[in-house]
Every structure is written in C-alpha cells, then in structure tokens.
Amino acid sequence: MASTGTADAHSEEVGVASEDGVRRRDFIEIAAVSAAGVGGLACLLPLVSQMAPSADVLAESSTELDISALEEGQSIKAVFRKQPVFVRHLTPAEIEAADAVDVGSLRDPQTLQERTEDGHHNILVVMGVCTHLGCVPLGAAEGENKGEFGGYFCPCHGSHYDTAARIRKGPAPKNLEVPTYEFTTDTTIVIG
Amino acid sequence: MSFPWAKNYEPVNPVMKFMDEKLPLPRLVYNAVGAGYPVPRNLSYFWNFGILAGFCLVLQIVTGVVLAMHYAANSGIAFNSVEHIMRDVNWGWMLRYMHANGASFFFLVIYIHIFRGFFYSSYKAPREMIWLLGVVIFLLTMATAFMGYVLPWGQMSFWGAKVITGLFSAIPLVGEPIQIWLLGGFAPDNAALNRFFSLHFMLPFVILGVVILHIWALHIPGSSNPTGVEVKQESDTVPFHPYYTAKDGFGLGVFLLIYFAFVFFFPNTLGHPDNYIEANPLSTPAHIVPEWYFYPFYAILRAFTFDFIIEAKLWGVLAMFSSILVWFFLPWLDKSPVRSGHYRPMFRKFFWFGLIPCMAVLFYCGGAPAEEPYVMISQIATAYYFLHFLVILPIISSIERPEPLPFSITEAVLGSDDSAVIEPAAKAAE
C-alpha cells in the first residue's frame, strides 16, 4: 500500500473509493453484516433443537419384556416410547394361515419369517399403531374384534391386518411396524 | 386514507387538544371507526361479521388469559386442572364454556365472513391484500384452535393431536423426523402438551397483529358493498359513527343472544363426550372426528384412498392444505370485472347450487364415519370443490354476460341519482 504513493494517500481514508470502486469501509460492512447473519442463524439452532425429544424422553426408548407367561394364542400389550406394542404368541393355525398367503399379492409384501426373529417365529412383536393415521388397532386383548383375517382390526377407518399383522384390507398403506428388538434370553425381549 | 368529504377531527376540549398534539390516538379512532370514516350507505348485515370476528378474538383472548391462570399444562394433571376449573374455580365453568363455545362461534362468524367475500368477490382489486391477510388469519386461527383443543388432555385431544401431527409423517423421507420433532417425543406427551399451550397462548396475539394489518389494508379503499359499485360521491356514504356503530351494535346483540343460549343451555352440544375421558395412549376412541369447524377439511383429507404416483395419505394431506391455499389465488382466478354476485347470473347459480351444497356435503361427510357411501361422496365433493375454484370460476368470468349495474350506490338505494344525469356518458358506458 505504501508504494502506491501520495496520489493514493487519499484513498487510504475509510470512506473514499479506490480506483476499482472498493472502499476500505466495504470490508467492515460486509464483515459486520455477515457476523450478524451467522450469529442470527446460530441462534436458531438451540431454538429449533429444543423441540426435539429431550434426554428423559429418549431414555425411555427401550423396554424389557418378560414373555415366559405368554401362552399360545395369547397376546400382551406393552408400552414402548409411550406407544402400545403387541406381542402375540402365534398358534400353529395362525402361522399356517400367515404362510398360506401369496406374498406377491400383498400391499406391503413380507413373509411371517421376515417379520419375526429366527428361532422365535411364533412370537410376533409389532407396534400397536395403525399405519394409516396412528390409531390403536383392536385384537390384542381377549374378546376384541380381530378383523376379517384374524389378526388386528383398526376401528377408526377400518383397516384389517392378518395373523402376521400385515395389511390386507382398508386404507392403511403398510403392515404394522415391527420395532427393533432382540431376545436376550428365551423368554425376555428388549425392544428398542 | 379516506374520501375527501370525510369529516375532520377537531378536538374542542383542552385535554383532547393536548392529547391530539402528543399522541393522536383519539384522532385515529375517530378516523377509523368514528364520524371521520365514510362508509357505503347500503351495507347489509353480512357486513357485520368483520366486527363480530374481532369481538370473538377479544372474547377468546380475555377468557383464555383468565383460564390460563388456573390451567396446568402438564400431562399428569392437565385433565384434572380442567375439572378443577369446572368445579372449584369461581365462575370457572362459565369462563371455560365461554371459551370453548367462543371457538365454535368464532369459526361460524369467520365462515360467514369468508363466504360473504366469495359471493360479493371482496377479494378483487383493489382489495386483494385484505383478502390475502384474511386467509393468513384463517390459517393462524385454525392452528390456534387445534392446539387449544389438545389442552384439556381428553381422549379427543390426545388422538386429535396424534392424527393431525401424523399428517406430517406423510411427507416423503423427512416426514417421520418432522413429526417426532413437532411432538418432542414419539407420541403426544408432556413435551407436546407444553409447547401447544405456549403456542396457543402466543398465536392469538399474532392473529391480533395480522387483524390490525387486515383493517389497515381495508381502510385504504374502504369497505366494498352489496352492489360492488365503488363509492363515487358523498351521497354514496354515511359516517361510520353513528350509522354503523349502531348497526354493528344491533348485530352484536343478536350474536350474543345466540352465543349465550349455547353457553348456558347447550354448552356441550358442539363438543364430543369422549373428551371428558382422560387421554389414554393405549386405547383409541372408536370414532375420531375433529371439532365441527374442521369437518369439510377433514372430509377432503380422507377422500383420498387410492395410491396414484404418491401415497394416498400424502394426496389427502396435500389436498387438505391446498383447499385453503387455493383461496390465496382467488383474486387472479376470478377475472370478472363485476364484483357482486347480484349482477352475475351464472356465477350466482354456481355459488348457490355448486359451492354451497358442495361445502354442506363435505361438512356432513367430515363428521360421518369413513366408510361407503361417505367416502365416495367426499371424493365427488372434493373434486367439485377444486373444479369450482380452478376451472369453473375462470371460465365463468370469461363467458358470463353480467346484468347492468346501477350507476352508483345512491341510485341502487334511492332508485335515482341526480349526478347520474350530469354524467350520461358514464351511464351509457355501463
């Protein structure tokens, strides 16, 4: 800068443009506005992020279940992430009914084998949340309507699920969701 | 802005003079709803509903603020705190019934206000901005009402929250994370209840702000009127006060009679008994429906039962939001130069025998169970609804031959207008 001589000494003053129209003040203006912009955006992060599930909500996101008392043909309703989970001990007849279906004809093609754990194909674990608009289907408790296919029936908008909890009739787009779970012992399941 | 013949505010009292110099608030009132605001002389009672909507907003804010002094937004005690308001708080039962029925009456008034706008084409130039702001107010009011309905934490509250936030899960890829983010959990719970309470308290003041813009925008061209002919001269107008303060006052009296008949004698008629059962995440009520004022839009949501390129669920959600967003485009879809439906024979027929029955059918289907024949009827009505706004209105406005308009508001009211004789050319042109 010093080498530009006395003629340019004037342009060293903040408000005066140099030959290419750039003023020294331009830098500080752009820097200030950018800093304010980045700072403003950074402020959004906590404001948006605070709405996501908090640590205590996430801490509840696994559930341990003892199914040793679950007899063939029985179901239990458990709670996982504040939502119902259905665990059903399938009877041989129910397994047979599920296997008899042509998988290709299903709206959401899946076999019972794909929907259960190896070695425990008679234990069906699904979320009790209808894939249409989130109602709780009937069929887990004794005496409840199991729908036309002997599985679950959602009374809100009439979705019928079969014994493998696959959607067979009604507006729901998907089979009842199988949550992530594992058998920690032969009679204990940990969901989540 | 106002017409040149508007009366000027001239304070006489020294206190008012002092005030006018320092903060001319009385001048603002005088020019906005006083003698200084000339208004078309022929407004019918359909023009009461703007004031009535404003009254409902204030009513909801006042009763809501006091209810918030007793309500506890915690999923463990929210339901009981509402019962505490109903049984233990002095006048609590009345304040809550006023607030709950106030929401219903707010929507009733808004719907009449909007359909007044449809019939008289209140959305046309130069009033487009008033209309656009009105649609924004309507959307904000819907959001506020939905979140308010969640607060009592009854069965309908809970499952309503689940179904409505579930709509967002229809969005491809990011839908489910968005739903979890909105709820602050995997299902509606304390986090959701708290944020809904916070927003339900805050949004009415946002609505109030947009209402001020709505009225500001209105006062630039002034009110439309049943003939749709713009104000030409002083004889077309009367001062807002005392003429319309009196007319609005009378309308308000009639409104209050009907409203309090519900508050005192039928306080739960517009609600659902299921909401007096505490929220139970493990059991869904057999028949989930929203409050009556959302029925038409709920019917549109459920009308889509078939996958076509995208999932049926997503179609339903898009259609439901589009059914209101389409109103934003009305000023440009209806190109007829004539405003009032009174002078538009074809438009009038489609309004009374097309749009109104269509809305009535959607309203009925929205409250009915989601089975045949209601699903198919909803589908037909939904198709007509969109056809009406997107196809029928533009076609009508280009082929319709409107009936002759009166020269002025004065002529429409008195049968003749002296100034019409002075401007024969103008009359011949119409």
Side-chain angles (χ1 to χ4, degrees), chain B residues 36-335:
Chain B
Y37 180 47
V39 183
R41 64 193 287 175
N42 60 338
L43 300 189
S44 71
Y45 277 107
F46 280 113
W47 267 258
N48 277 24
F49 287 84
I51 294 272
L52 289 181
F55 175 82
C56 288
L57 177 62
V58 173
L59 181 81
Q60 290 302 85
I61 290 178
V62 171
T63 53
V65 165
V66 292
L67 284 171
M69 296 178 186
H70 304 280
Y71 170 78
N74 179 292
S75 58
I77 50 175
F79 185 81
N80 288 336
S81 78
V82 172
E83 282 312 300
H84 157 75
I85 289 170
M86 294 300 288
R87 293 155 195 248
D88 301 336
V89 174
N90 295 335
W91 299 97
W93 59 274
M94 189 176 88
L95 292 165
R96 176 166 174 263
Y97 279 153
M98 282 175 71
H99 196 69
N101 285 282
S104 279
F105 276 80
F106 197 171
F107 274 96
L108 182 69
V109 164
I110 288 183
Y111 280 130
I112 296 174
H113 193 56
I114 291 172
F115 277 80
R116 192 284 317 267
F118 284 154
F119 185 79
Y120 294 103
S121 308
S122 303
Y123 43 79
K124 279 182 192 162
R127 297 184 180 79
E128 303 97 319
M129 187 53 76
I130 311 170
W131 178 260
L132 300 180
L133 289 167
V135 181
V136 170
I137 293 170
F138 182 62
L139 289 168
L140 287 170
T141 308
M142 291 178 93
T144 309
F146 158 67
M147 286 189 264
Y149 193 57
V150 175
L151 304 184
W153 209 238
Q155 275 287 65
M156 283 296 181
S157 302
F158 180 90
W159 291 99
K162 182 137 193 189
V163 169
I164 299 299
T165 55
L167 299 180
F168 291 90
S169 73
I171 303 168
L173 301 175
V174 293
E176 232 153 287
I178 286 180
Q179 188 191 359
I180 291 171
W181 177 75
L182 284 172
L183 288 172
F186 305 99
D189 200 12
N190 201 39
L193 180 61
N194 263 295
R195 68 189 54 178
F196 282 10
F197 179 58
S198 171
L199 293 171
H200 182 72
F201 202 112
M202 184 271 294
L203 281 179
F205 297 97
V206 177
I207 294 175
L208 191 65
V210 186
V211 165
I212 289 169
L213 298 182
H214 188 64
I215 297 171
W216 187 6
L218 170 70
H219 281 221
I220 291 170
S223 289
S224 179
N225 69 86
T227 65
V229 176
E230 288 293 316
V231 168
K232 289 192 164 83
Q233 55 205 342
E234 188 172 359
S235 70
D236 290 344
T237 65
V238 289
F240 191 89
H241 178 74
Y243 292 93
Y244 286 110
T245 42
K247 188 161 184 158
D248 285 333
F250 178 75
L252 182 62
V254 173
F255 168 82
L256 288 175
L257 277 177
I258 303 169
Y259 166 64
F260 277 109
F262 271 83
V263 169
F264 290 126
F265 298 104
F266 311 100
N268 290 306
T269 304
L270 298 171
H272 297 286
D274 278 89
N275 223 26
Y276 283 102
I277 303 168
E278 191 169 0
N280 178 359
L282 299 186
S283 161
T284 311
H287 184 45
I288 300 186
V289 282
E291 288 281 82
W292 69 267
Y293 37 80
F294 291 143
Y295 281 177
F297 306 105
Y298 195 54
I300 292 175
L301 169 74
R302 295 190 304 183
F304 291 83
T305 52
F306 41 85
D307 298 347
F308 174 68
I309 304 174
I310 53 174
E311 268 181 20
K313 195 161 119 181
L314 184 55
W315 274 116
V317 173
L318 290 176
M320 187 181 70
F321 285 112
S322 308
S323 67
I324 297 169
L325 296 182
V326 70
W327 296 353
F328 277 118
F329 300 95
L330 258 185
W332 299 279
L333 288 169
D334 178 3
K335 295 193 258 333

